[in-house]
């Protein structure tokens, strides 16, 4: 008992000293992320603490998109890391000019129970783009079952996933981790590998009352941008304050246009004038003449016919509903 009291007293004094010595506290500088495809995800130094907590370090920005790609209802966490002292340069509503050493990542995971993150999650993969000497390099890190590390891997894997959605419905399905070739099918235009999401128009989103682009400007990582109110904004596909057409076109842009635009996978291989970028005028996009085949393909699960061509195993019921409503209104 005596010893216990003694120990408690020592613990108390230690606590007291460490609390009162704040003035002498010298912060250890957090390293900037490493813009290289190291063998292990932890070696990129994007995360703080346990990898599985998915906490970015202070040099990494979490970003969100107005409208994002549907991937089998997976949760996605997106990171943007701009190297020390560098900035992205505003370049209209499209992709800013990113500095060498920029890292973008997208981590895919499922909560075991969507409404209850405290019941755990399964992290599957962290997809990475790194800009090096003006070239975007692509790599994928596949997480181990222990969720302690992810390893650089070019291969495709199938992983059985079970999760309960917000309606309480449990689904089990085979999630497909794409191969390197699949990454390139979507992320390449006219033979040049590119990012897709982080365009100014799709990052022009207000989160907790703060505009994301404004935050980048204030943090000194986005330069030469006009007033944020003058920057175009991609509509939010599931926000009913946008019109049906705006929501459907934004959905087609993010989920389909990387292949269906000049220089995209479909365009290069099939020579058809069918293109789905948000800015393309309706008549030029040829959406009207293709409306029936669009509906048929988004409802198909036949490989080679279904749309999107690759990247999903489950139907996106809400997305299909939106596109059908729009196409049938034409
Ligand atoms: C079916 C098409 C498709 C495939 C396959 C695909 N991506 Fe993407 N990827 C996208 C789209 C669209 C976005 C942007 C929208 C979003 O983030 O939701 C994106 C976003 C990303 C991002 C965030 C930066 C950016 O470009 O927006 C990274 C990093 C990334 N993908 C890497 C990969 C890697 C690595 C692979 C292969 C393992 C891969 N992607 C496979 C379509 C695809
Ligand atoms: C990874 C690239 C890719 C993505 C993403 C993609 N497509 Fe396609 N799309 C293709 C290819 C390749 C074909 C031709 C397939 C074939 O041989 O039938 C095609 C064909 C089509 C056709 C038939 C065109 C015609 O001229 O008859 C339609 C319609 C279509 N896609 C709609 C969509 C829609 C809608 C989406 C998004 C929900 C989408 N695609 C996403 C690659 C893609």
């Amino acid at each position: 008992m005596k010893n216990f009291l003694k120990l408690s007293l020592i613990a108390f004094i230690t606590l007291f000293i460490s609390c009162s010595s704040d003035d002498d506290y010298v912060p250890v500088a957090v390293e900037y992320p490493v813009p290289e495809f190291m063998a292990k995800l932890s070696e990129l130094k994007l995360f703080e603490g346990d990898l599985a907590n998915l906490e970015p370090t202070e040099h990494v920005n979490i970003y969100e998109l107005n409208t994002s790609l549907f991937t089998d209802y997976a949760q996605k966490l997106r990171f943007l890391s701009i190297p020390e002292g560098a900035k992205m340069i505003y370049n209209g509503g499209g992709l800013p000019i990113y500095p060498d050493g920029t890292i973008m990542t997208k981590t895919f995971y499922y909560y075991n129970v969507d409404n209850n993150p405290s019941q755990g999650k399964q992290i599957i993969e962290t997809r990475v783009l790194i800009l090096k000497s003006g070239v975007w390099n692509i790599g994928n890190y596949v997480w181990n079952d222990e969720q302690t590390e992810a390893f650089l891997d070019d291969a495709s894997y199938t992983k059985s996933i079970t999760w309960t959605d917000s309606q309480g419905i449990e689904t089990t399905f085979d999630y497909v981790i794409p191969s390197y070739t699949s990454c390139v099918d979507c992320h390449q235009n006219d033979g040049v590998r590119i990012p897709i999401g982080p365009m100014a128009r799709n990052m022009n989103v207000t989160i907790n009352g703060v505009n994301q682009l404004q935050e980048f400007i204030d943090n000194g990582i986005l330069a030469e941008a006009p007033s944020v109110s003058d920057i175009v904004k991609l509509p939010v596909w599931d926000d009913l304050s946008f019109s049906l057409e705006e929501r459907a076109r934004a959905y087609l842009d993010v989920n389909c246009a990387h292949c269906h635009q000049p220089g995209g996978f479909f365009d290069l291989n099939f020579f058809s004038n069918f293109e789905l970028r948000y800015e393309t005028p309706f008549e030029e996009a040829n959406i009207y003449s293709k409306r029936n085949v669009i509906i048929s393909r988004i409802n198909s699960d036949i490989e080679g016919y279904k749309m999107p061509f690759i990247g999903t195993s489950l139907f996106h019921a809400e997305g299909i509903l939106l596109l059908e409503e729009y196409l049938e209104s034409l």
Side-chain angles (χ1 to χ4, degrees):
M1 194 58 172
K2 249 186 179 167
N3 274 345
F4 173 74
L5 278 176
K6 226 192 225 164
L7 278 175
S8 307
L9 193 66
I10 292 170
F12 176 77
I13 292 170
T14 317
L15 192 75
F16 184 75
I17 293 173
S18 44
C19 287
S20 62
S21 59
D22 266 5
D23 292 348
D24 307 331
Y25 174 69
V26 182
V28 181
V30 175
E31 283 175 79
Y32 268 78
V34 178
E36 299 284 343
F37 280 103
M38 312 298 280
K40 296 180 191 161
L41 182 61
S42 59
E43 294 171 326
L44 273 71
K45 300 196 184 341
L46 294 153
F47 297 91
E48 190 176 287
D50 277 351
L51 223 51
N53 295 340
L54 302 180
E55 276 296 325
T57 76
E58 63 187 63
H59 302 306
V60 174
N61 305 276
I62 293 179
Y63 72 94
E64 289 179 23
L65 301 173
N66 293 358
T67 290
S68 58
L69 174 73
F70 168 78
T71 311
D72 295 342
Y73 297 100
Q75 309 282 338
K76 300 181 180 184
L77 175 69
R78 298 177 184 77
F79 284 178
L80 174 62
S81 156
I82 303 294
E84 187 166 11
K87 291 171 195 298
M88 15 178 187
I89 310 290
Y90 178 76
N91 190 27
L95 288 173
I97 299 166
Y98 284 96
D100 255 2
T102 296
I103 310 173
M104 297 169 182
T105 73
K106 184 154 62 140
T107 300
F108 292 62
Y109 62 98
Y110 287 84
Y111 287 122
N112 293 330
V113 181
D114 267 352
N115 281 344
N116 195 349
S118 69
Q119 294 207 24
K121 59 182 181 304
Q122 312 162 61
I123 313 170
I124 306 164
E125 51 173 333
T126 295
R127 303 182 183 176
V128 180
L129 288 177
I130 299 177
L131 184 62
K132 217 178 157 184
S133 310
V135 175
W136 286 101
N137 294 285
I138 299 178
N140 199 20
Y141 289 86
V142 178
W143 284 68
N144 60 9
D145 291 339
E146 300 76 35
Q147 306 274 280
T148 50
E149 187 59 271
F151 300 90
L152 188 61
D153 201 326
D154 276 357
S156 172
Y157 296 95
T158 302
K159 230 177 153 58
S160 177
I161 296 290
T162 300
W163 98 102
T164 303
D165 71 16
S166 48
Q167 264 98 60
I169 299 169
E170 187 182 281
T171 302
T172 298
F173 78 107
D174 284 337
Y175 178 97
V176 178
I177 298 174
S179 67
Y180 177 78
T181 319
S182 298
C183 313
V184 174
D185 286 344
C186 290
H187 281 272
Q188 186 160 279
N189 191 276
D190 261 336
V192 179
R193 283 166 278 156
I194 45 165
I196 303 172
M199 303 185 189
R201 76 191 197 344
N202 204 2
M203 292 194 294
N204 191 357
V205 53
T206 299
I207 303 158
N208 301 327
V210 183
N211 180 284
Q212 181 169 251
L213 294 177
Q214 189 61 52
E215 203 172 351
F216 291 161
I217 296 167
D218 295 344
N219 293 344
I221 57 167
L222 174 61
E224 297 179 26
S227 159
V228 164
S229 56
D230 292 335
I231 298 178
V232 291
K233 183 175 176 154
L234 191 73
V236 181
W237 75 278
D238 58 352
D239 175 347
L240 298 178
S241 67
F242 293 95
S243 71
L244 177 61
E245 178 175 31
E246 286 171 330
R247 292 188 293 121
R249 288 296 305 265
Y251 185 91
L252 290 169
D253 180 285
V254 178
N255 285 279
C256 321
H258 37 281
C259 290
H260 291 286
Q261 66 171 283
F265 183 73
F266 170 80
D267 182 65
L268 292 184
N269 293 291
F270 293 88
F271 317 103
S272 160
N273 53 347
F274 173 51
E275 83 127 306
L276 294 170
R277 281 177 303 174
Y278 185 76
E279 293 76 13
T280 306
F282 178 74
E283 293 72 28
E284 282 171 43
N286 273 319
I287 291 173
Y288 186 75
S289 65
K290 302 280 184 195
R291 66 193 187 288
N292 293 325
V293 65
I294 295 176
I295 292 178
S296 159
R297 286 191 184 241
I298 57 176
N299 281 294
S300 167
D301 60 1
I302 301 167
E303 288 300 328
Y305 184 77
K306 68 168 194 169
M307 290 295 143
F309 194 60
I310 51 170
T312 53
S313 303
L314 299 177
F315 288 109
H316 187 200
E318 301 78 5
I320 292 174
L321 224 67
L322 168 68
L323 294 184
E324 286 179 345
E325 201 188 329
Y326 166 63
L327 295 166
E328 281 159 9
S329 75
L330 298 175

